[in-house]
Amino acid sequence: MNVRIHSSWKKVLNNEFEKDYFKELSAFVKNEYETYTCFPPGNEIFAAFDHSTFEDTKVVILGQDPYHGEGQANGLCFSVHDGIAIPPSLKNIYKELETDLGKAYPNSGNLEDWANQGVLLLNATLTVRAHQAGSHQNKGWEKFTNQVIKIISEEKENVVFLLWGGYAKKKTKLIDSSKHLILTSGHPSPLSANRGYWFGNRHFSKTNEFLKEKGNNPINW
């Protein structure tokens, strides 16, 4: 796999790319993309890192798997390309934004604007086979993205980590809570949100309050 990734990340992640597990992961992903339809497109696998440089990253939102439907995944967790129907979890994210910040419900599910402001929209697994959820899990991606979280925790300060749902909450142990803000809640998927575990978490206003407190620009969600 030819890793096309922003130079700021290449500096801090270069050691990972040289490790045996990553070479095995690369061979697996290359074979999958040659043999099956996989998402996101090859040039968008590392899109999260291209939009939010290492230096600029001040918020991390963690997803689990890319969308596996046609044309949905764009390399940013929870995000879809312009013109693609907004998925249910993202609808609930937008509803919470409306309640929390009075933000008008957007027409597009493309979250590139967040990413360009320093929100790292990171899936734990960066690729998936079409229409087969979880098909690229436990192949090495989680090891890589765990390392990304650890490096951010160790080398940066005052980053907000938004961990939604049981899977994301497990990443708490990778983060130094004395240097960073960790906000957790239920997942925005309808199953969790409709049981009352998502709505009302006010994570967007809490994030901005913390960023301003630390002298950083808030996110224009």
Side-chain angles (χ1 to χ4, degrees):
M1 179 170 33
N2 177 23
V3 179
R4 293 177 52 186
I5 193 168
H6 191 275
S7 57
S8 66
W9 287 103
K10 230 170 191 165
K11 276 186 291 189
V12 294
L13 293 173
N14 239 353
N15 286 345
E16 290 306 298
F17 300 143
E18 298 306 316
K19 289 179 181 173
D20 288 344
Y21 88 86
F22 196 88
K23 289 175 181 172
E24 287 167 22
L25 170 64
S26 296
F28 166 77
V29 170
K30 185 171 185 286
N31 182 63
E32 285 284 298
Y33 272 71
E34 286 171 354
T35 312
Y36 306 98
T37 300
C38 294
F39 302 126
N43 65 344
E44 292 181 330
I45 292 173
F46 292 96
F49 301 92
D50 289 330
H51 286 282
S52 181
T53 67
F54 180 70
E55 289 79 12
D56 289 345
T57 295
K58 51 192 176 183
V59 180
V60 178
I61 298 178
L62 191 75
Q64 190 166 356
D65 230 24
Y67 296 121
H68 54 82
E70 195 68 45
Q72 288 182 302
N74 64 1
L76 308 174
C77 72
F78 295 106
S79 174
V80 291
H81 284 296
D82 292 327
I84 300 291
I86 297 172
S89 290
L90 186 53
K91 284 182 180 175
N92 285 336
I93 289 171
Y94 283 165
K95 284 176 188 172
E96 178 59 26
L97 253 179
E98 267 189 304
T99 310
D100 187 13
L101 292 174
K103 191 91 182 172
Y105 194 94
N107 296 321
S108 169
N110 194 332
L111 302 180
E112 282 182 9
D113 188 48
W114 294 7
N116 290 335
Q117 296 176 71
V119 181
L120 183 70
L121 295 163
L122 182 67
N123 276 315
T125 303
L126 298 191
T127 56
V128 70
R129 202 186 286 183
H131 315 301
Q132 292 186 40
S135 48
H136 289 185
Q137 288 176 7
N138 304 315
K139 303 295 183 185
W141 277 129
E142 295 91 341
K143 195 169 183 178
F144 172 71
T145 51
N146 280 352
Q147 199 55 31
V148 170
I149 294 167
K150 276 192 206 165
I151 288 169
I152 293 170
S153 175
E154 287 164 10
E155 299 195 18
K156 293 179 69 71
E157 289 182 356
N158 303 326
V159 174
V160 184
F161 290 85
L162 301 181
L163 306 181
W164 300 334
Y167 182 85
K169 286 177 192 174
K170 289 176 186 166
K171 307 297 179 180
T172 303
K173 63 181 181 290
L174 305 173
I175 304 160
D176 183 347
S177 59
S178 69
K179 295 166 60 184
H180 306 286
L181 176 64
I182 303 170
L183 295 175
T184 63
S185 80
H187 196 275
S189 67
L191 192 65
S192 171
N194 294 339
R195 286 180 181 161
Y197 301 133
W198 164 257
F199 293 116
N201 66 28
R202 298 189 62 245
H203 278 189
F204 304 102
S205 59
K206 287 175 183 174
T207 295
N208 280 350
E209 282 160 18
F210 178 82
L211 292 174
K212 285 190 278 192
E213 210 177 274
K214 300 299 179 184
N216 290 319
N217 288 329
I219 304 298
N220 180 19
W221 297 105

